[in-house]
Amino acid sequence: MKRPQILMIVSMAFLLVMTISFPVLGADSIKIGVIGPMQFVQGKHHWNGALMAQDEINSAGGVNVGDKKMKIELVKADSNEFLSMTDATNTMELLLTREKVNFVVGGFRTEAVLAMQDIAMDYKTIFLGCGAATKKICDRVGEDYDRYKYWFRITPFNNMFLAKTNFIHLATVAAIMRKTVGIQKPRVAIVGEKQAWVEAMVK
């Protein structure tokens, strides 16, 4: 994940800290759980980006929460969500109960994020998503706001916008092929893994 995206995620967390009253005001640090498949590139990049943001923010003195300056404390959580849904939900539960984080950032695989989202909502903990693209994850907020109001998707676009972006790219390539190769009707094959976020795009 690009550095600006992680910085935006953490900045959003800080804004929420300053505008919502909750127990962190009595603490010396803001505890943020970074959850993701840490044995895979997606999770590693979530963690490395979060570390960069933490170092920059803490070296500048932290963030203002009311009249108090607070540092950022990160908790690394390997969801193993590509391989095990049970690991993903257990990891989220531990972040909220044993580690007692104030916020959670991360998640990548839709099926896991849907389950982790429900756990975070059970504990009324803000969960900033930065990986899963399925539209349904955000639709839940509109369908049951009181329950899902603690969920925010920071990145990426939802899967329908990703599909539209793909077609824009295809149109660009098709125009080049018509002009340079002479193929007037390029044939396109759609290949997608059998995952929830892909199904709507293929359809």
Side-chain angles (χ1 to χ4, degrees):
M1 175 167 287
K2 295 180 181 177
R3 179 177 171 186
Q5 292 175 326
I6 287 292
L7 289 174
M8 183 173 62
I9 290 167
V10 177
S11 297
M12 175 69 80
F14 301 150
L15 289 173
L16 291 167
V17 168
M18 290 184 282
T19 57
I20 297 174
S21 176
F22 67 104
V24 75
L25 295 175
D28 295 320
S29 64
I30 301 167
K31 204 169 183 182
I32 301 174
V34 181
I35 192 168
M38 296 300 174
Q39 304 307 311
F40 296 84
V41 67
Q42 295 85 350
K44 290 175 182 176
H45 285 186
H46 283 178
W47 179 245
N48 291 336
L51 284 176
M52 290 170 63
Q54 173 192 248
D55 292 346
E56 283 189 18
I57 292 161
N58 287 348
S59 65
V63 293
N64 290 317
V65 180
D67 58 357
K68 187 174 183 179
K69 203 80 164 173
M70 300 180 72
K71 296 291 184 79
I72 300 303
E73 177 186 351
L74 297 179
V75 178
K76 186 177 186 179
D78 185 1
S79 62
N80 194 33
E81 58 198 75
F82 291 148
L83 304 178
S84 170
M85 290 287 291
T86 302
D87 286 353
T89 54
N90 287 346
T91 302
M92 176 62 87
E93 189 88 34
L94 288 172
L95 271 179
L96 301 173
T97 57
R98 185 174 66 191
E99 299 294 344
K100 300 190 183 304
V101 297
N102 304 116
F103 298 98
V104 179
V105 177
F108 195 84
R109 180 183 171 197
T110 288
E111 291 85 349
V113 171
L114 283 165
M116 293 189 295
Q117 182 188 43
D118 275 324
I119 295 169
M121 300 307 104
D122 287 343
Y123 288 92
K124 295 180 170 50
T125 300
I126 291 172
F127 184 8
L128 305 171
C130 55
T134 301
K135 183 174 176 290
K136 179 182 178 183
I137 299 172
C138 288
D139 286 346
R140 287 174 151 190
V141 180
E143 293 163 2
D144 189 352
Y145 178 76
D146 285 339
R147 173 166 172 74
Y148 291 100
K149 62 186 176 184
Y150 304 98
W151 162 260
F152 298 86
R153 173 187 279 138
I154 306 303
T155 184
F157 293 140
N158 70 38
N159 50 2
M160 300 312 295
F161 284 110
L162 288 173
K164 290 178 181 179
T165 303
N166 286 338
F167 280 111
I168 291 169
H169 292 162
L170 283 172
T172 302
V173 173
I176 293 169
M177 291 182 71
R178 290 188 189 100
K179 184 175 180 180
T180 61
V181 186
I183 300 174
Q184 295 306 306
K185 291 185 177 181
R187 297 178 67 194
V188 178
I190 299 175
V191 180
E193 60 181 335
K194 191 166 181 57
Q195 299 291 338
W197 73 280
V198 178
E199 291 172 4
M201 294 176 68
V202 172
K203 184 178 179 180

